[in-house]
C-alpha cells in the first residue's frame, strides 16, 4: 500500500457494506491487489482491528469497478469477498447487496454521465457473466441517497435502487414454466412450477391445511405438513426437469396466503425442509412472477400493481422482500429483479 494511500469509497449496499474501488486505483497484479485488500480490511484477524472490516463477512466486502469491456454495458463489476480470519480474497460468488452501490459509485467517479432525474446504469457482473440494470436517483445532476425506501435489516430509509437482471428466466429448469403450464395438479394440489431466478413450487397455504400465517417454528414442528410437502416436492422436481431432487435444495416450496401488511401476498417458504425465517430474493421474484399468471394459485389472492414496472412487496415471517418486475402490455414479465437501497459512508484515501 502506498504511503500516500489508495483512493476508495466506503458504501452500504443493501444489507452489506464495504470498499468500492476503481480498478485503475488497485494493483493490476492479483496477488498484490489481494494483499492490499487484506491490509485494508485488517484480515486475517477475527476483530479486523487493524483495518476497516467490521469483523463480519457482511462488512468485509469489496467492489472493483471499471469501464465496460462490452458495448451493451456501461461498467464492469467484480465482487471480492475478503475473509475475516483467513488470508483469503475470493471471487467465487456475486453479491447482489454490494451491487446496489455500484451504479451510484460509477456515477460519482465519472464513469457514467447523469441522464436525468434517474440514471440507468448497465452493469456487467464479472463473477457470473450476468447483466443488471441499476436505476439511480440523480436529481439536480448528482446522486441522491435520501429517500423513503426501507429494507429489512437496515435501520431507517434511503433512496430506492431497483436492480433488474437480464435473462434469469429458466435459470435451472430451462424455461420460466418448465411444464409449459401456468397451473398443474400434482398429488391432488394445484401448483405453479416456475423458475424466474430460482426454481420454486407455488401453492396455496389453505390447500395444505394451514393459514399461511404460522411462525416458522410452528411449521417446522408440523411433521405431517413437512412429509406432504416433501412428497409434492419430489414429484414436482421431476416435472421441472430437475431430476431426482431428494438430495437437492431445489425446488423451494412456497405456500401463499393473502397479504397482512399491505404487500402483494404472504409467503411461508421451505428451503426445502425447514421453513425460511424470511424468503430468498430470487424465490420472492419467482413467486411474484407467478402472481401475474391468471391460472396460478397465487393470482386470485394477490394484490398486483398496475403499470409496466411493478414493484411488489412479497411478505414473509419477518417483513417483506421488494421485487421489481418489468412487463409488456399483457403483463408478461420481461425482466425481474429486486429493490435495494445504498448509502455513501465516506470517500477518500485508505492507508
Amino acid at each position: 500500500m502506498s504511503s500516500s494511500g489508495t483512493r476508495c469509497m466506503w458504501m452500504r449496499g443493501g444489507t452489506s457494506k464495504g470498499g468500492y474501488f476503481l480498478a485503475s486505483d488497485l494493483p493490476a497484479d492479483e496477488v498484490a491487489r489481494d494483499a492490499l485488500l487484506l491490509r485494508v480490511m485488517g484480515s486475517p484477524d477475527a476483530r479486523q482491528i487493524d483495518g476497516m472490516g467490521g469483523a463480519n463477512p457482511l462488512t468485509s466486502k469489496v467492489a472493483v469497478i471499471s469501464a465496460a469491456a462490452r458495448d451493451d454495458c456501461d461498467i464492469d463489476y467484480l465482487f471480492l469477498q475478503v475473509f475475516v480470519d483467513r488470508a483469503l480474497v475470493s471471487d467465487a460468488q456475486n453479491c447482489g447487496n454490494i451491487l446496489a452501490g455500484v451504479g451510484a459509485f460509477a456515477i460519482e467517479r465519472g464513469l457514467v454521465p447523469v441522464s436525468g432525474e434517474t440514471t440507468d446504469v448497465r452493469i456487467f457482473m464479472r463473477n457470473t457473466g450476468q447483466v443488471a440494470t441499476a436505476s439511480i436517483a440523480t436529481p439536480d445532476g448528482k446522486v441522491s441517497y435520501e429517500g423513503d425506501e426501507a429494507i429489512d435489516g437496515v435501520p431507517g430509509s434511503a433512496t430506492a435502487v431497483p436492480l433488474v437482471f437480464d435473462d434469469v428466466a429458466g435459470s435451472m429448469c430451462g424455461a420460466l414454466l418448465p411444464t409449459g403450464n401456468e397451473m398443474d395438479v400434482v398429488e391432488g394440489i394445484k401448483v405453479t412450477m416456475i423458475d424466474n431466478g430460482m426454481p420454486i413450487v407455488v401453492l396455496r397455504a389453505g390447500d395444505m391445511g394451514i393459514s399461511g400465517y404460522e411462525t416458522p417454528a410452528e411449521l417446522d414442528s408440523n411433521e405431517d405438513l413437512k412429509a406432504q410437502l416433501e412428497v409434492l416436492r419430489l414429484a414436482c422436481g421431476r416435472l421441472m426437469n430437475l431430476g431426482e431432487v431428494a438430495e437437492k435444495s431445489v425446488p423451494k416450496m412456497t405456500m401463499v396466503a393473502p397479504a397482512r401488511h399491505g404487500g402483494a401476498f404472504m409467503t411461508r417458504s421451505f428451503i426445502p425442509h425447514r421453513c425460511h425465517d424470511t424468503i430468498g430474493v430470487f424465490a420472492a421474484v419467482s413467486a411474484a412472477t407467478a402472481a401475474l399468471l391468471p391460472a396460478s394459485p397465487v393470482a386470485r389472492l394477490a394484490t398486483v400493481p398496475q403499470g409496466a414496472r411493478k414493484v411488489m412487496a412479497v411478505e414473509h415471517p419477518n417483513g417483506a422482500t421488494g421485487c421489481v418486475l418489468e412487463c409488456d402490455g399483457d403483463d408478461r414479465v420481461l425482466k425481474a429483479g429486486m429493490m435495494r437501497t445504498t448509502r455513501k459512508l465516506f470517500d477518500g484515501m485508505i492507508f
Side-chain angles (χ1 to χ4, degrees), residues 21-33:
F21 296 83
L22 289 176
S24 57
D25 289 329
L26 293 172
D29 176 74
E30 288 188 10
V31 173
R33 179 202 67 191

Side-chain angles (χ1 to χ4, degrees), residues 40-197:
V40 163
M41 290 296 183
S43 297
D45 172 41
R47 295 184 299 160
Q48 292 184 317
I49 196 66
D50 198 35
M52 292 300 298
N56 187 296
L58 296 179
T59 57
S60 188
K61 299 184 174 186
V62 167
V64 181
I65 314 301
S66 58
R70 45 190 280 178
D71 293 337
D72 63 339
C73 293
D74 298 308
I75 57 172
D76 287 354
Y77 156 52
L78 176 68
F79 170 71
L80 298 173
Q81 178 71 60
V82 181
F83 281 56
V84 174
D85 54 2
R86 296 169 61 190
L88 179 62
V89 178
S90 174
D91 64 358
Q93 66 181 66
N94 198 0
C95 179
N97 280 303
I98 290 295
L99 173 66
V102 166
F105 173 82
I107 295 170
E108 295 251 23
R109 284 288 187 262
L111 293 180
V112 178
V114 171
S115 60
E117 292 291 300
T118 300
T119 300
D120 286 344
V121 181
R122 292 272 292 170
I123 303 164
F124 176 70
M125 296 176 286
R126 290 176 54 192
N127 303 75
T128 61
Q130 290 178 304
V131 174
T133 299
S135 298
I136 307 300
T138 49
D140 305 318
K142 61 182 181 180
V143 176
S144 172
Y145 298 96
E146 302 298 321
D148 299 324
E149 186 71 21
I151 61 174
D152 290 336
V154 178
S157 63
T159 297
V161 180
L163 297 170
V164 177
F165 296 84
D166 292 3
D167 303 323
V168 294
S171 64
M172 294 181 68
C173 299
L176 177 70
L177 299 173
T179 69
N181 302 321
E182 293 184 1
M183 188 272 290
D184 292 278
V185 178
V186 182
E187 299 292 325
I189 302 294
K190 293 179 179 179
V191 302
T192 292
M193 292 172 276
I194 190 167
D195 175 9
N196 204 17

